[in-house]
Amino acid sequence: MAQTASANTASAPDRITIEVQTVNGSGCPAGTAAVAPSPDNTAFTVTYSQYMAQAGGDSNPTDMRKNCQLNLGIHIPQGFTYAIASADYRGYAYLAKGATGMERASYYFQGMSQTTPVTHNLKGKYDNNWQFTDRTDVGALVWKPCGEDRNLNVNTELRVNKGSSDETSFMTFDSTDGDMRTIYHFSWKKCD
């Protein structure tokens, strides 16, 4: 008999582990993605080192769109379940005048419906860091079924359109140390 989640939210369990099961996509070649839980187990960070879309200049046509799908095994103590309550996406973009950039993300548990993708757009001329935060209303949170071992799939995409400019424009998940960092924030419940 499957357990159900109680209506009361809970504090984060003491110990979670996250294992990257598979990484697929043009934005995350093998060995370029890493995942780590936060010290207080309320979030996890995905770090990429080669996630960049670009268009114009000497860019290949296939460089205009990059994507990544992560399949994560998130192991939590018995009696708890979780949902992704929000996600913070950070990066850098250089978009020439007339160029545009787009970041899109969604996630789902194996065997369940995918969340509605959330899209954020940038317009050139743009030459700066960017940050987008996606938040899920409490009533719309998608909870991992209690007592079931289902992996979490995280899908992200970057896309750049050169527009009327021949200048190279790009958009990357990036930070000052050269890595892209995306932070996913957990919401916790105790299972009945």
Side-chain angles (χ1 to χ4, degrees):
M1 183 173 177
Q3 296 176 321
T4 59
S6 61
N8 297 332
T9 57
S11 59
D14 291 337
R15 186 166 178 271
I16 64 170
T17 59
I18 300 174
E19 297 173 12
V20 177
Q21 303 296 322
T22 59
V23 178
N24 293 305
S26 56
C28 52
T32 66
V35 181
S38 65
D40 63 358
N41 293 329
T42 61
F44 65 92
T45 301
V46 181
T47 305
Y48 300 90
S49 60
Q50 296 183 19
Y51 202 153
M52 180 175 74
Q54 64 182 21
D58 296 336
S59 302
N60 291 322
T62 58
D63 290 340
M64 69 173 284
R65 179 187 179 272
K66 297 293 180 174
N67 72 300
C68 187
Q69 177 167 319
L70 294 172
N71 180 278
L72 306 174
I74 300 177
H75 306 286
I76 61 176
Q78 191 108 14
F80 284 90
T81 189
Y82 68 93
I84 304 300
S86 66
D88 300 322
Y89 303 95
R90 294 180 181 87
Y92 182 83
Y94 176 82
L95 301 172
K97 185 175 181 182
T100 58
M102 182 267 296
E103 178 269 334
R104 176 180 293 154
S106 63
Y107 58 88
Y108 62 97
F109 294 106
Q110 269 180 319
M112 297 177 72
S113 298
Q114 184 169 331
T115 60
T116 302
V118 177
T119 301
H120 300 280
N121 296 295
L122 293 174
K123 292 181 181 180
K125 180 138 184 117
Y126 189 95
D127 184 6
N128 208 338
N129 294 312
W130 57 265
Q131 177 176 333
F132 303 120
T133 298
D134 300 342
R135 296 192 194 289
T136 305
D137 291 335
V138 172
L141 288 174
V142 178
W143 296 93
K144 182 186 85 60
C146 287
E148 294 184 21
D149 198 16
R150 295 190 186 199
N151 288 353
L152 176 67
N153 290 295
V154 177
N155 298 312
T156 56
E157 175 185 356
L158 290 178
R159 190 181 297 248
V160 173
N161 183 321
K162 72 181 185 95
S164 58
S165 175
D166 287 329
E167 187 178 353
T168 301
S169 292
F170 65 90
M171 188 170 179
T172 183
F173 283 109
D174 208 338
S175 67
T176 54
D177 61 2
D179 293 333
M180 170 286 227
R181 295 179 190 275
T182 301
I183 301 173
Y184 294 86
H185 301 275
F186 289 119
S187 186
W188 293 99
K189 278 188 183 181
K190 288 190 174 181
C191 294
D192 294 333

